[in-house]
Amino acid sequence: MAKQALTTSKFLASPSHLAVVAAKYSCGAPIGGAEHGPDALIDAGIFSEIESKTKYKCTIDHIAQSGTFGNTNEAHDADPDINGMKRPRAVSLASKQISECVYAHAREGKFVMTLGGDHSIGIGTVTGIARAIRERFGGSELSVLWIDAHADINTPETSPSRRIHGMPVAFASGLAQSPTGHSVFDWITASHLINLKRFVYIGLRDVDEAEERIIAENGIKAYSMDDVRRYGIVKVMGLALEYLGDETPIHVSYDIDSLDPEWAPSTGFPVTPGLSLEEGIHISRRLHATGNLVAMDLVEVNPLVEPGKLGTTVKSAGSVIQAALGVAV
Ligand SMILES: [Mn+2]
């Protein structure tokens, strides 16, 4: 059988090269397990299937496995809380490693697919891709779609849980910075930051009060699950893409908990009702069809939650990943 050709890509220099980054940590979450997500996806054969069906060549980097402060969400003597923020040094260190790794691949014009891990890895992925896009395209800004049940935009000051997996959008956009007197996140510079005017949420249904305020104050485009039910996913995706415009590189940060728990039970913080698998695949297909997609994260697959249903979760994750790459699912 002939291998499926790749769709034309507007912003990739090396569109047949898929750089998979396995970000194996969960220090940003209150429970462990998501550090095993990347291996669950890789071992299921998602990427060997992509190579056998298409012209993609995959490389896999395994990173952020255990930094200086260990891969644990438990309190740690060498990593005390900063202003209540949990595991700040571990998450910062892991995020910096991820940022540098995805930057190096994206700088060469490869598609970067990062597997989490808890969603604090988004600090690393989005900042690394944003920096590479600025350098490759004369200061152009990256557009980001955040597909999630949660908004992940708390700052260390507003966060009820104090866990950094609820803060990646705030750090990647500069809304959150190292708390006064600390330098823990100072590796994030202006060249790394995303513009919240080029950012869209889809699937929100569990948003903290402070996050609602932050979203409103910053005029962030957000489509909740209610919006998806009201308008349909086809219309919502049309509006999201129209808002971002035709000529913009796009990064999609896909939290598996955006899907309804029926389709993705093995995740730390499921919220019902969510996107159907079909809706989730539609999002990926539409993004692929733009020719603008340059990077994707697939996060929060947790093999320790509902282990008997891990197969369902991994299959769903594989489908949204493959659809984003233009593979028939
Ligand atoms: Mn998330």
Side-chain angles (χ1 to χ4, degrees):
M1 194 177 79
K3 289 199 174 187
Q4 190 184 328
L6 305 175
T7 311
T8 312
S9 165
K10 291 183 226 163
F11 298 99
L12 297 173
S14 184
S16 63
H17 192 136
L18 181 63
V20 178
V21 177
K24 298 169 157 179
Y25 82 102
S26 64
C27 311
I31 61 164
E35 69 273 26
H36 305 300
D39 281 337
L41 297 171
I42 293 164
D43 294 348
I46 292 168
F47 299 100
S48 37
E49 193 181 328
I50 289 171
E51 283 195 323
S52 73
K53 284 186 178 171
T54 70
K55 293 183 175 172
Y56 282 110
K57 287 278 162 278
C58 303
T59 56
I60 304 182
D61 291 301
H62 295 262
I63 65 166
Q65 304 187 59
S66 55
T68 310
F69 304 105
N71 183 11
T72 166
N73 14 47
E74 304 295 320
H76 198 290
D77 287 347
D79 192 8
D81 297 358
I82 296 178
N83 286 15
M85 189 165 44
K86 306 289 182 192
R87 301 311 316 273
R89 295 159 196 81
V91 175
S92 172
L93 189 72
S95 306
K96 183 165 182 274
Q97 280 177 17
I98 293 164
S99 186
E100 286 168 359
C101 181
V102 303
Y103 164 79
H105 288 302
R107 188 71 184 82
E108 293 175 22
K110 302 173 192 169
F111 191 106
V112 185
M113 174 73 66
T114 307
L115 311 175
D118 73 67
H119 217 162
S120 68
I121 71 152
I123 300 174
T125 60
V126 167
T127 57
I129 301 293
R131 180 177 161 218
I133 290 297
R134 275 199 177 87
E135 288 184 15
R136 291 185 58 223
F137 300 103
S140 291
E141 287 177 327
L142 179 68
S143 293
V144 177
L145 251 81
W146 201 270
I147 317 296
D148 207 318
H150 312 91
D152 298 350
I153 197 167
N154 272 298
T155 66
E157 293 74 29
T158 66
S159 167
S161 75
R162 304 290 183 172
R163 294 287 177 173
I164 303 175
H165 77 154
M167 310 180 195
V169 181
F171 276 107
S173 63
L175 280 180
Q177 287 158 5
S178 299
T180 311
H182 297 273
S183 60
V184 64
F185 279 103
D186 284 3
W187 62 266
I188 301 173
T189 64
S191 67
H192 290 104
L193 296 180
I194 54 164
N195 178 352
L196 290 173
K197 293 278 185 273
R198 306 211 56 78
F199 183 100
V200 180
Y201 284 116
I202 296 177
L204 298 181
R205 53 196 184 271
D206 184 7
V207 180
D208 297 327
E209 230 174 273
E211 291 183 305
E212 297 270 15
R213 197 182 64 238
I214 293 170
I215 290 168
E217 281 173 4
N218 290 279
I220 301 171
K221 192 62 93 181
Y223 297 100
S224 65
M225 254 340 281
D226 286 345
D227 292 325
V228 173
R229 287 291 156 263
R230 193 171 304 136
Y231 305 117
I233 194 65
V234 175
K235 173 84 174 163
V236 164
M237 276 306 287
L239 291 170
L241 293 174
E242 185 182 290
Y243 172 76
L244 296 175
D246 286 337
E247 298 300 323
T248 179
I250 298 176
H251 178 135
V252 60
S253 198
Y254 214 124
D255 192 320
I256 200 67
D257 75 21
S258 60
L259 299 184
D260 190 86
E262 181 187 348
W263 301 102
S266 295
T267 189
F269 300 87
V271 191
T272 195
L275 297 168
S276 69
L277 179 58
E278 199 182 325
E279 289 166 332
I281 291 172
H282 177 81
I283 291 171
S284 288
R285 280 208 183 110
R286 284 289 288 279
L287 286 170
H288 176 76
T290 63
N292 293 342
L293 198 60
V294 295
M296 178 173 189
D297 313 326
L298 194 292
V299 305
E300 299 278 4
V301 170
N302 189 328
L304 304 186
V305 178
E306 298 263 20
K309 296 178 181 170
L310 178 61
T312 302
T313 311
V314 167
K315 196 160 185 288
S316 298
S319 296
V320 296
I321 286 173
Q322 296 195 352
L325 295 168
V327 182
V329 293

